[in-house]
Each structure stands twice: as structure tokens, then as C-alpha cells.
Amino acid sequence: MAFGLAASAVAQEVPPAPPAPQGGEAPSAPAPASGDPAAAAAEAPAAPTMAPDQYMGNPEYMLDLDLSTGGRVVIQLYPNVAPAHVERMKTLARAGFYNGIKFHRVIDGFMAQTGDPTATGQGGSQLPDLKAEFNDTPHLRGTLSMARAENPDSANSQFFIMLQPRFSLDHRYTAFGRVISGMQYIDAVAKGEPPAIMSRIVQMSVAADNKPMPPAALLTEERPAAPVEVTVDQLNAPIKR
């Protein structure tokens, strides 16, 4: 099953209709003695949320994304709207899962998708899929959002970064962060479905871990093989039969 923006329907922007937007699951609570569902909903505790001053600019909720396009991209995560997705990204980043993974699907003027170790759009991590955390965060330029299959609760490790705004994705995909610096290195990612030569994540880390940027020699793109040079002597040589 392909993971992306509603499989191959991304170019047409016709993802399957998702269920109503939802946040993280609230802690369960026993139903009141009356058994009234409305009363149960009223008495259930609200899901905890984080205030902006708890995560904005906090390196524990920021990612450093070092790309083969030449530099570091800094990402602010939004645990207030998608705590499970943020935790998944941090967990996989700290495990080194994203190091070396390629951008396998990049549509010019739309988005750049990565996070699949097979670079086919079919793969993910060994962790279980995530329950959707659709929220009101708009899909602006630089927004990070989770790729998924047709099932809204199928996001795992693949994500995409918006190259331009696309509000038709709002409430259909879980947005969980945004690029705050280094967007030029995202813009430089090789385009294609898939690209002929794929740009890659050299290193992804949680900013709080203070991992240094890899040497410049590693932040380089693969280059297509040079065409074989045809010499004048070869052009003048007799045709062999």
C-alpha cells in the first residue's frame, strides 16, 4: 500500500474524505452511574495540551535536518496539536532511523516527501501506525505533515514538507511542525516521482541533543553519470560489421 497524499490522487487533490478532525485521545474515565452518554462526555477529563511557551523555541521540540542539498533545516514541532506524531518523529530521529533516507516523491510547487527506508513509497518503521491527529494547523509553505495511505490512521514514518501552501490538505493530513530556517535546502531537493537522483537526509536529530552538522563533504548530492565522450577518431572510424 502506497503512503502519500491519498495514494496517487495527490496531483488531483482528491484525497478520500477523512473522519471528523480529532486530537489526541483523552484519558479514559468511568461512566457515571446514570449511564447517560452526554453526562459521560461532560465529565471526561480533557486531553492535556501544551502552552506555546512550553514548546516554541524549546530544543526538545525542534528537529535539525541536515540534507544532501548542502545545509541544515531547523524545524519547530507542534506537540500541542499532534503529540503522538511529534513523539514518533523524536523517537525515530534519536534512533537514527532517518539518517540516509531519500526524498522519493517531490512535486515542484507542491511538496517533498520522505521517510521511507525503501524509497518506494511503500515502507515505514517497525513501530505501529499512528492514530490520526487532524488539527487546525494550515498547510503553509514549510509545514510538516504526515503521509498516509487511504486509512486515516495509517501514518507511520513518512512525512512531507510543503513547498507552497495547499489548504485543501487541511484536516485531511496531520500537520505537526514547520520549517523555521533553512527552507532553501528543501527548495533544492531534486524533483520527480521518483527523482532520477534522489536527495537525502544525511542526519536528522532532536535539537536538544546538540548533534553537530556533518562535514560539508557529506552534504552533497549524487551526480548522474557523465555521458561517454565521443572522439573525432571514433567519428572517422570505419563502421564495423
Side-chain angles (χ1 to χ4, degrees):
M1 184 180 294
F3 287 75
L5 307 192
S8 62
V10 58
Q12 293 77 29
E13 300 181 45
V14 196
Q22 58 192 34
E25 286 188 325
S28 59
S34 65
D36 181 0
E43 292 187 15
T49 58
M50 296 182 68
D53 60 358
Q54 293 178 285
Y55 63 89
M56 293 296 289
N58 182 343
E60 183 60 31
Y61 296 102
M62 300 172 73
L63 296 176
D64 291 332
L65 194 62
D66 300 317
L67 301 186
S68 63
T69 51
R72 171 164 286 186
V73 179
V74 179
I75 295 164
Q76 174 66 64
L77 299 173
Y78 298 152
N80 60 321
V81 295
H85 285 69
V86 166
E87 192 58 34
R88 171 62 55 87
M89 294 295 291
K90 290 168 56 181
T91 296
L92 291 177
R94 282 180 162 142
F97 174 84
Y98 289 108
N99 298 349
I101 285 184
K102 299 176 179 179
F103 286 84
H104 65 274
R105 188 168 185 236
V106 185
I107 302 176
D108 195 18
F110 187 12
M111 60 89 210
Q113 184 173 333
T114 184
D116 175 8
T118 71
T120 64
Q122 308 287 328
S125 76
Q126 296 299 310
L127 298 176
D129 290 345
L130 292 162
K131 187 173 180 62
E133 294 179 302
F134 301 141
N135 56 72
D136 293 334
T137 303
H139 284 74
L140 304 169
R141 172 170 161 81
T143 294
L144 269 72
S145 194
M146 212 67 172
R148 61 172 175 84
E150 187 173 353
N151 179 355
D153 299 330
S154 59
N156 187 284
S157 66
Q158 292 190 42
F159 65 93
F160 56 95
I161 301 175
M162 301 302 298
L163 301 177
Q164 293 296 335
R166 195 65 59 94
F167 301 124
S168 60
L169 304 182
D170 294 356
H171 300 128
R172 297 182 176 190
Y173 298 88
T174 298
F176 62 94
R178 193 176 183 190
V179 173
I180 59 174
S181 71
M183 189 65 193
Q184 68 269 27
Y185 303 117
I186 299 294
D187 290 333
V189 167
K191 312 299 189 293
E193 300 181 72
I197 300 294
M198 298 184 190
S199 302
R200 68 192 187 282
I201 300 171
V202 177
Q203 177 179 267
M204 180 190 283
S205 59
V206 178
D209 296 344
N210 294 312
K211 288 200 172 181
M213 189 184 301
L218 297 180
L219 302 178
T220 57
E221 299 277 53
E222 297 178 18
R223 298 187 181 278
V228 177
E229 183 178 356
V230 179
T231 66
V232 173
D233 290 340
Q234 288 172 319
L235 291 174
N236 293 334
I239 299 174
K240 296 181 180 179
R241 296 185 183 276

